[in-house]
Amino acid sequence: MIHDYLSLSILLFCLGVLGVISRRNVFTVFMSIELMLNAANLAFIALARLHESMDGHVLALLVMAVAAAEAALALAVVILLHKHTGKVDTNVFSLLKG
Amino acid sequence: MLSQWLFYGFATLAVVGALGLILSRHPMNGAMCFVITLISQAGLYALLSASLLFALQLIVYAGAIMSLILFIIMFLNIQPADLPQETGRWGFLIGGSLAVVPIGLLLLKIVRSLPAGETTIIGNGFGHVKSVGLVLFRDWLLPFEIVSILLLVALVGAIVLAGKKETIQ
């Protein structure tokens, strides 16, 4: 039973990595990162159920807070870049390229 | 038995939502598919008897964070012509899966070698607000405070980045 949950978590994480690799839309890349965080949360909670300790729940709570902070900052950066270039393509955002 | 069927239903919905996220062209469709994934993950948390995390997943993730993302997507008013031309998308998908699938299979093998947990029935308020709060404020107090500072810094940073710039004369 726990194996099924951990396998699903691995599958979701791999799908998130694929989304980050293969897409160029900045929103899709951002939501794929959120998907990876969620897969990690699922693994934390499944392992907390396995060991019957609630430290995994607390860790998932902290991951949620970090995801909220990341969402606020990343969307602010996206708004700024969209104002600057008028596009949502990650290949356009190459200001830091030397 | 019922929990097994519920698990398969929620797992299918989560994978379908994730596939819709990475395959749909417009970010709005992807965001709606991702909401399906988040809600079915909340169901999985409920199956793992994590009732506090179930509520927080629905309120914070599917409620707050996703509505923020949807609000920004609608705020930017992206037309289909403004979307990036992703011509080599399938090539990148196949190449990326060539790199990711072996890592996933290795992780699956590691998971299969874990000892199979007996699914015992646990009571005593496992995963309820009170017990999780006791663990949070006894053993994890310093990380909790650090996360609160992180949220404050993110709030200030978001306002500084996205706020209106007053040009200094």
Side-chain angles (χ1 to χ4, degrees), chain B residues 83-129:
Chain B
L83 291 174
Q85 296 288 331
E86 296 173 294
T87 45
R89 178 154 60 118
W90 293 101
F92 277 119
L93 209 58
I94 292 167
S97 51
L98 281 183
V100 168
V101 165
I103 301 172
L105 288 179
L106 178 67
L107 287 174
L108 274 181
K109 201 160 175 57
I110 293 172
V111 162
R112 292 292 162 200
S113 69
L114 283 178
E118 288 295 317
T119 58
T120 52
I121 296 171
I122 41 179
N124 293 329
F126 178 80
H128 287 185
V129 180

Side-chain angles (χ1 to χ4, degrees), chain B residues 36-160:
Chain B
I36 296 175
T37 301
L38 291 175
I39 293 174
S40 50
Q41 271 206 349
L44 290 174
Y45 293 169
L47 283 180
L48 288 167
S49 64
S51 50
L52 174 65
L53 264 297
F54 161 72
L56 282 183
Q57 174 85 7
L58 282 182
I59 297 169
V60 174
Y61 242 116
I65 297 180
M66 281 317 289
S67 62
L68 178 66
I69 293 174
L70 284 175
F71 179 75
I72 298 297
I73 292 174
M74 286 190 270
F75 175 73
L76 292 184
N77 192 16
I78 302 160
Q79 303 298 325
D82 297 339
L83 291 174
Q85 296 288 331
E86 296 173 294
T87 45
R89 178 154 60 118
W90 293 101
F92 277 119
L93 209 58
I94 292 167
S97 51
L98 281 183
V100 168
V101 165
I103 301 172
L105 288 179
L106 178 67
L107 287 174
L108 274 181
K109 201 160 175 57
I110 293 172
V111 162
R112 292 292 162 200
S113 69
L114 283 178
E118 288 295 317
T119 58
T120 52
I121 296 171
I122 41 179
N124 293 329
F126 178 80
H128 287 185
V129 180
K130 186 178 175 186
S131 39
V132 175
L134 281 177
V135 176
L136 177 62
F137 289 114
R138 274 187 188 147
D139 302 339
W140 295 81
L141 189 58
L142 185 64
F144 178 75
E145 297 293 339
I146 293 173
V147 160
S148 67
I149 295 175
L150 174 75
L151 279 173
L152 180 66
V153 170
L155 178 69
V156 175
I159 292 173
V160 168

Side-chain angles (χ1 to χ4, degrees), chain A residues 6-97:
Chain A
L6 290 177
S7 309
L8 175 66
S9 151
I10 291 168
L11 182 57
L12 288 179
F13 190 87
C14 289
L15 283 176
V17 174
L18 274 183
V20 172
I21 290 174
S22 67
R23 297 303 303 269
R24 277 169 49 193
N25 195 317
V26 65
F27 285 109
T28 309
V29 172
F30 173 66
M31 283 186 284
S32 300
I33 294 171
E34 297 276 331
L35 180 63
M36 286 195 271
L37 287 173
N38 265 294
N41 264 353
L42 185 62
F44 272 134
I45 292 175
L47 288 172
R49 179 71 174 80
L50 175 65
H51 294 291
E52 297 187 12
S53 84
M54 267 166 289
D55 292 336
H57 291 192
V58 177
L59 270 172
L61 208 68
L62 298 184
V63 169
M64 264 185 204
V66 171
E70 178 227 345
L73 271 184
L75 290 174
V77 171
V78 166
I79 288 181
L80 206 64
L81 286 170
H82 187 267
K83 258 190 223 164
H84 198 70
T85 62
K87 289 205 166 50
V88 289
D89 190 345
T90 49
N91 280 13
V92 178
F93 303 151
S94 56
L95 285 174
L96 288 180
K97 196 183 279 181

